[in-house]
Amino acid sequence: MKYFKNPTGEVYAFEADGSQDDLITDEFVAMTSDEIDRHINPQNYLSDEEKEQLRLAQFKSLTRRQLKLALLENNLLETVEQTINVIEDPIMKTRIQIEYNESERFERTNESVQFMLGILNLSTEQVDDLWQYAMTL
């Protein structure tokens, strides 16, 4: 395959046998081997933070009911609520209270959700397991 991009960055691939050469106009620029690799294998060029965000995005959102039941069944519901109440920064405390009490759905990638889960001092694997369990409720 021959890879080209147009001025807007759209990528086009044409058979390398020359059968489609008449479709290649002056607006197409041949891509370098590095650009082709980045296009075909974008996962190889992600930062650790981007990889973690993709990993977290694979978890479905939870309803308030699912999250609270999972916390309750793991003896964490009271801990979360008590810990939120003793957050020292008044703005952060209010933000987390609003997120916790008013959200209908909880996204794993949400900053406030990550903060709430972080105050539980659970490992990433434990949080993953808790989230997976909650998705079944």
Side-chain angles (χ1 to χ4, degrees), residues 42-119:
Q43 70 281 359
N44 294 343
Y45 298 91
L46 298 176
S47 68
D48 289 342
E49 183 178 319
E50 290 169 323
K51 288 176 188 175
E52 179 63 6
Q53 287 302 312
L54 276 178
R55 188 187 76 76
L56 293 177
Q58 294 176 16
F59 290 92
K60 293 180 183 178
S61 64
L62 300 177
T63 63
R64 181 183 335 195
R65 178 190 151 278
Q66 287 174 306
L67 179 64
K68 286 191 163 191
L69 282 174
L71 291 171
L72 177 66
E73 292 178 22
N74 285 278
N75 298 316
L76 297 169
L77 182 63
E78 200 171 303
T79 303
V80 168
E81 293 175 355
Q82 288 173 351
T83 307
I84 289 172
N85 286 328
V86 297
I87 295 172
E88 291 184 18
D89 179 340
I91 293 173
M92 179 60 85
K93 178 180 179 178
T94 303
R95 178 187 175 120
I96 298 301
Q97 286 173 328
I98 292 168
E99 292 272 4
Y100 181 72
N101 294 319
E102 306 301 327
S103 293
E104 292 180 21
R105 301 202 68 78
F106 294 88
E107 303 288 336
R108 183 71 191 283
T109 55
N110 180 280
E111 218 175 276
S112 296
V113 170
Q114 290 184 1
F115 180 87
M116 282 186 270
L117 293 171
I119 62 178

Side-chain angles (χ1 to χ4, degrees), residues 6-29:
N6 69 14
T8 63
E10 292 176 293
V11 174
Y12 297 86
F14 298 101
E15 291 295 331
D17 63 6
S19 64
Q20 298 173 345
D21 285 353
D22 58 329
L23 299 174
I24 302 169
T25 65
D26 291 341
E27 74 175 24
F28 291 105
V29 175

